[in-house]
Amino acid sequence: LSCMGNIFRLCAGLSTVITISVFVFMLILGLPLFRDTSVLSLWAGPWAPQEKLYGIGPMIAGTIGIAGFATLLALPLSLGSAFVITTLGHPGLQTGLKAFIRFMTGIPTVIYGFSAIFLLVPLIREGLGGAGFCVLAAGSVLAVLVTPVMTLFFVDSLLGVNPVHIQAARALGASRIQRLLYVMIPQALPGLATGFVLATGRAIGDTLIALMLAGNAIIIPETLLDPARTLTGHIALIKAADYDSLEFRSIFACGIALYLFSAFSVIIVRIFEKKQRPAI
């Protein structure tokens, strides 16, 4: 047991070192850009390389807009599906719905993207106007992409509730909805929050959907019908066209922004779990 404990500590320490090393790596490679550009203009300024302005503000806004819309759209779908699978549905419906959601997790992202190009984009273009490649298109497909992951995480959290408490509520005459609202959700809340944060991170880190459907315009989107470019999309497009310039160095600023998004999300989850943990 002592040997296994040492192995686990070594693995945890190695993971920490690798994570910090990646952050330091991005800082070092982005140093030329950080030297020539102020922090404010880099993180919030416009992108105009011809004027020596390398701000990633539009990409941050695009990322937040698309990922935020996707997770807010996916949240009620995921909660509803999880409630049906764990409590409210008929056993046959629960089995079938869970199998279908598991099947959705295995569908390649490119399939969602190509399907949306030929189905969703023309629908938006003809029904709402614009080019069709916009925040609405990318966010809607991204919501479909993250919903299965979020749903399965919610299901595991709800099924992890102490069955003794559920049986006690049933003995007191609580209906299925009452057991769900007053017993299962409060106890599963840390897991539900973790699932939501992880799904948000999945939405922020997706590249292909944003490249195919967001329009990749370097502007700050003001409506759902505006095109946008995400941080991951910017990294992919710049890396494909350039290798040694300040424009290329901007991808490391994008990487640091994504890194900070992920770190901030994990910190929120840890704080929430600590507050929800019962005192001993």
Side-chain angles (χ1 to χ4, degrees), residues 4-270:
M4 291 302 299
N6 291 332
I7 292 175
F8 291 147
R9 293 188 191 95
L10 178 62
C11 292
L14 185 60
S15 299
T16 302
V17 170
I18 292 174
T19 303
I20 295 175
S21 299
V22 169
F23 185 74
V24 173
F25 166 79
M26 291 188 293
L27 280 177
I28 293 174
L29 292 183
L31 202 57
L33 178 62
F34 302 147
R35 263 202 271 4
D36 296 344
T37 308
S38 66
V39 175
L40 182 61
S41 62
L42 178 62
W43 296 104
W47 174 264
Q50 67 278 6
E51 301 175 15
K52 296 185 178 181
L53 297 175
Y54 306 101
I56 61 173
M59 280 67 83
I60 292 177
T63 299
I64 293 174
I66 293 174
F69 175 72
T71 50
L72 290 178
L73 184 60
L75 179 60
L77 297 175
S78 301
L79 283 174
S81 300
F83 294 161
V84 169
I85 291 173
T86 57
T87 306
L88 304 179
H90 185 273
L93 177 61
Q94 292 176 341
T95 303
L97 181 58
K98 189 172 184 179
F100 177 71
I101 290 174
R102 288 186 181 278
F103 170 76
M104 287 181 64
T105 61
I107 298 176
T109 306
V110 69
I111 301 298
Y112 289 115
F114 271 120
S115 300
I117 287 176
F118 293 106
L119 297 175
L120 181 60
V121 170
L123 187 64
I124 293 175
R125 184 189 302 125
E126 296 172 6
L128 300 175
F133 294 93
C134 57
V135 173
L136 178 61
S140 299
V141 177
L142 202 54
V144 175
L145 184 67
V146 302
T147 292
V149 177
M150 196 185 298
T151 299
L152 292 177
F153 212 104
F154 288 172
V155 168
D156 289 341
S157 299
L158 291 170
L159 292 179
V161 173
N162 192 334
V164 173
H165 298 164
I166 299 175
Q167 293 299 329
R170 178 181 294 177
L172 292 173
S175 65
R176 288 189 296 177
I177 294 180
Q178 288 174 328
R179 295 196 298 270
L180 176 65
L181 293 178
Y182 300 112
V183 179
M184 298 178 69
I185 292 180
Q187 291 194 30
L189 202 55
L192 298 178
T194 302
F196 177 76
V197 171
L198 292 177
T200 302
R202 173 73 176 86
I204 289 175
D206 184 81
T207 303
L208 193 58
I209 295 299
L211 277 175
M212 297 177 71
L213 300 173
N216 296 305
I218 307 180
I219 61 172
I220 296 178
E222 298 179 356
T223 68
L224 292 177
L225 297 179
D226 288 338
R229 178 183 289 190
T230 61
L231 291 166
T232 53
H234 183 74
I235 292 173
L237 291 170
I238 294 297
K239 188 177 183 300
D242 193 2
Y243 286 97
D244 189 22
S245 66
L246 290 181
E247 291 96 318
F248 177 74
R249 301 291 178 178
S250 70
I251 70 174
F252 298 107
C254 293
I256 291 173
L258 291 168
Y259 188 101
L260 293 177
F261 274 136
S262 300
F264 184 67
S265 300
V266 171
I267 290 172
I268 290 177
V269 170
R270 292 293 178 264

